[in-house]
Amino acid sequence: MENPGNFRLIVGILFVFCLVNISLGFNPVDNFLIDCGSSRNRSVGVRQFVADDSNPSSYTLSTPQHTLANSTSNSIPLYYGSSLYQTARIFSGPSDYSFPIKEQGRHWIRLHFFPFVFEKYNMSNAKFSVSAQNFSLTRETQSGNVPVVKEYSLNITSNRLVLRFIPDSESFAFINALEVFSIPENIVPEEARMVGRKGDKRSLREAALETVARVDMGNSTVLPQNDTLWRLWVSDDEYLIDKKLGSFMSNVSAVNFTGGLVTEDIAPASVYGTATRFNLDDPTLNANLTWSFDVDPGFDYLARLHFCDIVSNSSTQQGVFVEIFINTHSAGHLDLGSQTSHILGAPYFMDVCTRIGDSRKLNVSVGSSNIVNFPSVILNGLEIMKINNAKGGLDVPEVVSSRTSKTALIVGLTVGLFVFVLLAAVLILFCRRRRKPDPGSGGRNIHVAGSGTDIFSSSKIGYRFPFMALVEATDNFCENLIIGVGGFGKVYKGVLRDETEVAVKRGTPQSSQGLTEFRTEIEMLSQFRHRHLVSLIGYCDELNEMIIIYEYMENGTLKNHLYCSSHPGLSWRQRLEISIGSAKGLHYLHTGSTKAIIHRDVKSANILLDKNFMAKVADFGLSKTGPDIDRTHVSTAVKGSFGYLDPEYLTTQQLTEKSDVYSFGVVLLEVLCGRPVIDPSLPREKVNLVDWALKSCSNGRLEDIVDPRLVGEIKPESLNKFWEITEKCLGKHGIYRPSMGDVLWNLESALQLQGNEQKTAHDGELSSEFSHGGHSETSLEFSRAGSVSELAGVSMTTVFAQMLSEQMR
Ligand SMILES: *[C@@H]1O[C@H](CO)[C@@H](O)[C@H](O)[C@H]1NC(C)=O
Ligand SMILES: *[C@@H]1O[C@H](CO)[C@@H](O)[C@H](O)[C@H]1NC(C)=O
Ligand SMILES: *[C@@H]1O[C@H](CO)[C@@H](O)[C@H](O)[C@H]1NC(C)=O
Ligand SMILES: *[C@@H]1O[C@H](CO)[C@@H](O)[C@H](O)[C@H]1NC(C)=O
Ligand SMILES: *[C@@H]1O[C@H](CO)[C@@H](O)[C@H](O)[C@H]1NC(C)=O
Ligand SMILES: *[C@@H]1O[C@H](CO)[C@@H](O)[C@H](O)[C@H]1NC(C)=O
Ligand SMILES: *[C@@H]1O[C@H](CO)[C@@H](O)[C@H](O)[C@H]1NC(C)=O
Ligand SMILES: *[C@@H]1O[C@H](CO)[C@@H](O)[C@H](O)[C@H]1NC(C)=O
Ligand SMILES: *[C@@H]1O[C@H](CO)[C@@H](O)[C@H](O)[C@H]1NC(C)=O
Ligand SMILES: *[C@@H]1O[C@H](CO)[C@@H](O)[C@H](O)[C@H]1NC(C)=O
Ligand SMILES: *[C@@H]1O[C@H](CO)[C@@H](O)[C@H](O)[C@H]1NC(C)=O
Ligand SMILES: *[C@@H]1O[C@H](CO)[C@@H](O)[C@H](O)[C@H]1NC(C)=O
């Protein structure tokens, strides 16, 4: 390879044999490769960097004072060829490289810096900035003995590119080598979806981008010589956070570029052919693979994720199905097969933009999608690019002094315009308030759990909230008010004008089945009112928003209290009461109307606790009306959450109430053991809670699995009863599983067996609430054991009338 003639020969032969796939000969229209400060041309791979000590002919260099520096000591092995780094050009005053541009459009600018000491110049101390067109590119002070390659991409729309080096006063600037060349069109998208903001697209047409990271997954490095555009792809090893979750894999021959829109210029086969894959073969596992990158706060970033299914083969048909997260925002789900027409090995990439507020990290995660498909979770490559800010800067303290006044003017105008728009908006809002009934008052005549108002007496319109009322209630969806994040979107705490606290769930348009789930949830929730089902307060579908407003549950999710937080653990009694409460909610769903409702997503994260730790079942987005009387099941595509899914439903796709019973059994296990359903940090045999618990107990070691915080508190009889029913819920076959009514009865008897001796303050509150609920006029009983009404002050006739009218539609 040292001999360039030899290399060309090899490339030539390759060309003859595989004209289709080999494009190592990408020939940029504009192509300037300069070995700065050098007196001889240097070949790096197939490319020749020209000497710049003599007067160049193809570009112009205007520099008042300069020095050519050389050194022999730079012999450390470098990706781009160490010979480039043996010379440098030093500038003592502002200096311009000016390149004539033949092809307008995206160009890359690569700046190579490798500081060394030459005469009086210690390049490690050089302080300077570099700008191009109207963008300030870098202000980095070079330091240390490491080479730095900075890559920028600019859309050049004039016929000249001027690259300007400006030394700080008393200092100097330097450069070892530089590349300027045109790149194929699709390397940088014209626009990309903005993560975490509904429907927003970020235009990149005029943006300047700086490459922050270019990573090949699968712990492999791809050298510039092996990339059609001379990119360096570094190994993901150092960015992967939880290394034991990932395993590296490689099958370059599986990559198939034919037919797709993705070419080798996007990323070479050696990038698509290696991947980091989710480690455990358990398809029910729920966790993320995360790579973490250092970034500067206050900028937008473009992330390009490369995927290629090198895992599946035609016989397994497993597919790649992932949910992608950028920091804590979901960037949506990806079903790779449907994007690549199910051609295995076809590459695919996805671009998303994100705004980094005050964080210094950008985390990219891929996790198993909530939608079950026995998927593989993999990532093949990742590029992260920083986008210039409004001031045209890519560096942190932006300085391009000649432009400051202009910038100030623009900023001034922008701020002025913004203030004007804001004033106008406030005015319009104010006028509307005065004319129409107060939009926020929607919350006033609406039922709040326990308040005794009958929601169904208000017309259905009363549920519908104006968007502005929610903006107001949530402080314009302030990040500080976020109380939960899920596949659907974010949940904010809000306060309505009448001071009712509410939970506001705002859907993101990216969630693919968002709209169906949104409708289902509203339909389900408006049909039912029950003490142990979370109450719907309203919804908003203005401006394509998908927002649901619920009663606020002070104590968050059961999951949080069991293992996710610093909360003091729940007592056994509390745990039993919470289990009983949720069982009542589910029992009501299954039996409360002519057709059973199957919740389909029973899990500890969907059981919420109010200020008295009373449990309410939430999240009806996946719920389905059960089978008609003459049928025993509904057939449906499998949905639900990993770890909680009924194995029988998975194999048969036939849904019955018993699937909820299984999932509830898993929740009971979590309650008993105080650990997550899937915990990848544990030894392999313990990762899956259900497998581990059933196995331990079949060996007669029930005590081993009990949450250590409960030891000594549980009476053996209570524990045995609890275990007996949990085990039945987890039965392999639905028909042998108990009904929710049986579960409830058994849980209540576990509570009785525990006895009453350890009354807590909260028991007092709970019983007072029960008597409060007892005043209701209903005489219907939904549980065999419970004699108190579970309906919080809602007249049953109205409820059923409402249900009927819903069903007639
Ligand atoms: C370097 O290459 C350029 C063009 O490729 C040529 O014009 C120039 O003479 C060469 N310089 C040396 C020192 O060989
Ligand atoms: C470095 O440059 C000087 C002239 O500036 C020259 O005499 C010397 O031979 C060069 N050294 C190397 C290693 O190229
Ligand atoms: C050059 O500057 C760096 C950083 O200030 C310093 O560590 C190094 O010792 C200097 N080298 C010489 C030869 O002065
Ligand atoms: C830089 O900005 C000025 C004024 O905003 C504009 O006239 C000029 O065309 C810009 N230059 C380039 C190369 O975009
Ligand atoms: C470059 O900028 C021009 C003018 O704004 C625009 O029409 C073109 O689409 C841009 N090209 C790319 C690749 O973004
Ligand atoms: C990744 O590759 C590097 C270098 O090839 C090697 O040292 C390291 O052990 C690898 N990491 C893993 C987790 O295999
Ligand atoms: C390119 O990649 C292939 C396979 O990964 C490797 O065998 C070859 O040595 C690489 N070529 C260069 C020039 O790095
Ligand atoms: C690599 O992929 C090809 C094509 O899909 C397949 O035939 C081959 O068995 C795979 N090799 C390995 C080691 O998995
Ligand atoms: C690559 O994909 C095409 C379809 O786009 C298919 O016809 C071809 O057989 C595939 N090649 C290989 C080697 O699998
Ligand atoms: C994956 O990461 C996202 C974003 O940080 C987080 O919201 C989600 O809960 C994680 N999923 C799992 C299973 O840890
Ligand atoms: C497909 O993959 C499975 C599991 O990864 C493996 O057992 C099987 O042998 C593979 N089949 C083919 C045809 O490569
Ligand atoms: C990114 O991941 C790191 C390591 O897990 C974590 O410390 C940091 O808080 C994460 N940052 C964000 C913004 O999620």
Side-chain angles (χ1 to χ4, degrees):
M1 290 296 158
E2 280 305 304
N3 181 342
N6 224 342
F7 187 76
R8 286 206 195 94
L9 185 68
I10 294 170
V11 172
I13 292 171
L14 285 176
F15 251 106
V16 173
F17 284 103
C18 11
L19 272 173
V20 193
N21 276 343
I22 295 286
S23 48
L24 272 179
F26 173 73
N27 228 337
V29 175
D30 296 312
N31 195 18
F32 302 96
L33 309 174
I34 303 169
D35 186 4
C36 305
S38 171
S39 55
R40 59 194 178 95
N41 293 341
R42 307 216 193 233
S43 294
V44 177
V46 286
R47 302 201 298 168
Q48 190 174 56
F49 282 71
V50 300
D52 86 334
D53 69 334
S54 52
N55 276 337
S57 51
S58 58
Y59 63 93
T60 55
L61 171 59
S62 79
T63 167
Q65 307 118 350
H66 68 266
T67 310
L68 304 182
N70 64 19
S71 152
T72 45
S73 56
N74 303 324
S75 53
I76 46 168
L78 295 164
Y79 296 128
Y80 279 87
S82 61
S83 61
L84 282 182
Y85 299 108
Q86 286 172 2
T87 57
R89 182 176 278 272
I90 293 172
F91 308 104
S92 318
S95 308
D96 290 346
Y97 279 91
S98 171
F99 303 97
I101 298 296
K102 293 198 212 95
E103 186 181 61
Q104 302 202 337
R106 284 271 162 200
H107 286 65
W108 262 337
I109 300 173
R110 286 199 193 120
L111 308 175
H112 299 256
F113 299 105
F114 182 67
F116 56 87
V117 179
F118 178 73
E119 295 173 356
K120 63 174 177 166
Y121 301 102
N122 182 347
M123 296 181 205
S124 301
N125 300 330
K127 289 191 170 59
F128 60 99
S129 64
V130 183
S131 63
Q133 307 304 74
N134 284 336
F135 296 106
S136 63
L137 303 184
T138 178
R139 263 213 64 75
E140 205 114 308
T141 308
Q142 304 306 321
S143 63
N145 199 28
V146 279
V148 177
V149 181
K150 294 195 155 259
E151 181 185 275
Y152 304 91
S153 122
L154 260 57
N155 180 359
I156 299 174
T157 50
S158 60
N159 54 13
R160 192 149 282 277
L161 166 67
V162 178
L163 201 59
R164 167 167 284 200
F165 289 77
I166 308 164
D168 286 9
S169 59
E170 311 287 300
S171 192
F172 61 93
F174 77 99
I175 177 88
N176 299 72
L178 69 90
E179 303 171 46
V180 171
F181 62 98
S182 41
I183 54 175
E185 260 178 14
N186 47 6
I187 300 296
V188 176
E190 292 196 350
E191 59 177 21
R193 182 160 59 82
M194 197 81 192
V195 166
R197 292 145 156 253
K198 222 176 133 47
D200 271 11
K201 291 227 172 189
R202 176 80 161 81
S203 169
L204 299 169
R205 280 178 198 91
E206 272 141 41
L209 304 174
E210 176 182 357
T211 308
V212 176
R214 179 172 287 133
V215 183
D216 181 20
M217 306 303 160
N219 197 24
S220 82
T221 300
V222 175
L223 298 178
Q225 297 91 305
N226 248 3
D227 179 289
T228 56
L229 298 174
W230 308 283
R231 286 165 292 208
L232 170 66
W233 300 77
V234 300
S235 151
D236 67 327
D237 192 33
E238 63 171 303
Y239 301 105
L240 185 60
I241 288 177
D242 202 347
K243 293 193 174 51
K244 65 181 184 310
L245 283 182
S247 61
F248 302 123
M249 53 182 314
S250 164
N251 185 354
V252 179
S253 64
V255 181
N256 183 353
F257 278 106
T258 20
L261 294 168
V262 181
T263 64
E264 244 184 312
D265 289 338
I266 301 281
S270 37
V271 169
Y272 282 118
T274 57
T276 298
R277 180 189 190 176
F278 211 84
N279 212 353
L280 292 135
D281 19 40
D282 184 345
T284 59
L285 191 61
N286 193 9
N288 290 329
L289 276 177
T290 301
W291 292 266
S292 186
F293 301 88
D294 293 328
V295 292
D296 295 320
F299 284 89
D300 286 358
Y301 287 84
L302 167 69
R304 171 170 284 189
L305 293 92
H306 298 272
F307 294 94
C308 180
D309 189 354
I310 55 169
V311 188
S312 315
N313 60 32
S314 41
S315 56
T316 51
Q317 287 201 334
Q318 175 175 43
V320 169
F321 207 135
V322 296
E323 180 166 14
I324 298 151
F325 298 94
I326 309 288
N327 280 349
T328 50
H329 299 288
S330 171
H333 299 263
L334 172 71
D335 176 1
L336 187 59
S338 73
Q339 297 291 344
T340 56
S341 323
H342 297 279
I343 297 166
L344 291 178
Y348 176 78
F349 66 87
M350 182 172 143
D351 294 321
V352 286
C353 284
T354 186
R355 177 154 297 170
I356 301 293
D358 49 9
S359 156
R360 299 200 152 264
K361 291 276 180 199
L362 193 162
N363 294 351
V364 174
S365 313
V366 292
S368 37
S369 185
N370 249 359
I371 297 133
V372 173
N373 203 16
F374 296 115
S376 300
V377 172
I378 64 170
L379 185 62
N380 301 61
L382 176 64
E383 292 169 274
I384 293 177
M385 283 163 241
K386 185 186 194 178
I387 304 170
N388 67 279
N389 59 20
K391 294 173 190 161
L394 278 162
D395 50 354
V396 181
E398 48 281 326
V399 282
V400 174
S401 49
S402 62
R403 285 174 44 251
T404 358
S405 60
K406 198 158 243 163
T407 315
L409 183 67
I410 294 172
V411 170
L413 277 176
T414 321
V415 169
L417 192 68
F418 180 72
V419 169
F420 176 76
V421 169
L422 204 71
L423 279 176
V426 168
L427 206 68
I428 291 171
L429 201 70
F430 183 70
C431 294
R432 284 178 62 188
R433 283 260 156 79
R434 303 199 65 181
R435 265 190 284 119
K436 284 199 208 163
D438 183 352
S441 70
R444 211 168 277 148
N445 57 356
I446 271 173
H447 173 86
V448 179
S451 75
T453 325
D454 181 358
I455 54 147
F456 295 118
S457 63
S458 57
S459 75
K460 236 194 147 195
I461 314 298
Y463 279 110
R464 203 163 165 185
F465 274 56
F467 184 59
M468 285 315 295
L470 298 175
V471 168
E472 184 184 296
T474 58
D475 234 340
N476 197 11
F477 300 98
C478 173
E479 299 272 316
N480 296 337
L481 293 175
I482 292 179
I483 50 177
V485 181
F488 181 89
K490 287 180 184 160
V491 185
Y492 301 82
K493 182 180 176 179
V495 182
L496 297 180
R497 295 195 133 203
D498 66 352
E499 314 229 301
T500 314
E501 289 183 324
V502 290
V504 177
K505 183 161 95 172
R506 187 186 194 194
T508 47
Q510 290 96 21
S511 65
S512 47
Q513 347 76 338
L515 193 60
T516 351
E517 290 185 13
F518 176 69
R519 290 210 187 105
T520 313
E521 174 129 40
I522 294 173
E523 275 162 25
M524 291 291 169
L525 277 173
S526 51
Q527 282 180 57
F528 296 115
R529 289 213 85 70
H530 187 269
R531 172 186 278 275
H532 292 291
L533 300 181
V534 78
S535 311
L536 175 74
I537 290 185
Y539 68 95
C540 169
D541 56 359
E542 265 175 40
L543 310 166
N544 288 325
E545 290 282 347
M546 295 187 289
I547 301 178
I548 306 186
I549 303 120
Y550 309 91
E551 64 178 317
Y552 179 65
M553 300 289 282
E554 278 85 348
N555 274 309
T557 66
L558 170 60
K559 180 176 173 174
N560 256 325
H561 286 272
L562 287 176
Y563 47 78
C564 284
S565 73
S566 49
H567 294 291
L570 298 166
S571 70
W572 179 239
R573 221 187 144 70
Q574 279 175 312
R575 293 186 198 208
L576 283 174
E577 276 160 358
I578 290 166
S579 306
I580 291 170
S582 355
K584 284 178 181 169
L586 289 173
H587 177 54
Y588 173 75
L589 273 184
H590 289 176
T591 58
S593 72
T594 45
K595 271 190 195 166
I597 304 294
I598 302 168
H599 184 284
R600 285 222 287 176
D601 203 10
V602 177
K603 55 180 175 182
S604 56
N606 281 343
I607 292 173
L608 303 181
L609 304 174
D610 76 359
K611 62 177 185 296
N612 301 319
F613 287 91
M614 187 169 83
K616 301 197 181 202
V617 179
D619 208 333
F620 298 84
L622 292 179
S623 303
K624 258 206 142 49
T625 310
D628 290 321
I629 310 233
D630 54 337
R631 289 174 61 210
T632 56
H633 65 265
V634 237
S635 293
T636 160
V638 176
K639 287 194 178 169
S641 293
F642 286 108
Y644 294 92
L645 271 158
D646 170 9
E648 192 175 49
Y649 170 42
L650 270 181
T651 45
T652 61
Q653 311 213 338
Q654 294 177 350
L655 187 67
T656 69
E657 296 97 300
K658 296 298 178 68
S659 304
D660 278 353
V661 173
Y662 180 89
S663 307
F664 189 70
V666 181
V667 172
L668 292 180
L669 267 189
E670 285 179 272
V671 164
L672 180 63
C673 310
R675 55 152 280 189
V677 174
I678 304 287
D679 187 348
S681 66
L682 291 173
R684 197 168 259 261
E685 69 277 8
K686 291 189 178 178
V687 167
N688 185 317
L689 170 62
V690 178
D691 293 349
W692 169 66
L694 289 179
K695 197 165 200 169
S696 300
C697 296
S698 68
N699 297 339
R701 297 197 317 273
L702 180 52
E703 293 72 22
D704 290 3
I705 66 165
V706 174
D707 187 341
R709 288 172 293 187
L710 294 177
V711 167
E713 191 188 335
I714 310 185
K715 292 205 172 154
E717 312 84 68
S718 177
L719 176 62
N720 286 335
K721 190 83 198 163
F722 188 89
W723 175 251
E724 190 186 302
I725 190 67
T726 304
E727 200 178 20
K728 279 186 191 153
C729 289
L730 295 171
K732 277 209 168 52
H733 301 287
I735 49 165
Y736 300 124
R737 287 178 210 147
S739 69
M740 275 322 293
D742 291 335
V743 176
L744 188 49
W745 192 84
N746 279 279
L747 287 174
E748 301 229 12
S749 90
L751 181 62
Q752 269 165 22
L753 288 168
Q754 181 68 16
N756 283 335
E757 85 285 3
Q758 21 157 244
K759 280 259 175 197
T760 58
H762 121 234
D763 289 325
E765 285 167 32
L766 202 74
S767 44
S768 77
E769 246 189 57
F770 269 88
S771 55
H772 169 75
H775 75 69
S776 139
E777 58 267 63
T778 174
S779 57
L780 275 168
E781 267 186 39
F782 287 106
S783 83
R784 263 204 260 152
S787 58
V788 279
S789 155
E790 299 303 335
L791 288 162
V794 181
S795 145
M796 281 317 293
T797 22
T798 347
V799 172
F800 282 121
Q802 177 73 19
M803 283 179 197
L804 278 177
S805 72
E806 293 280 335
Q807 273 165 12
M808 308 236 279
R809 272 183 225 153

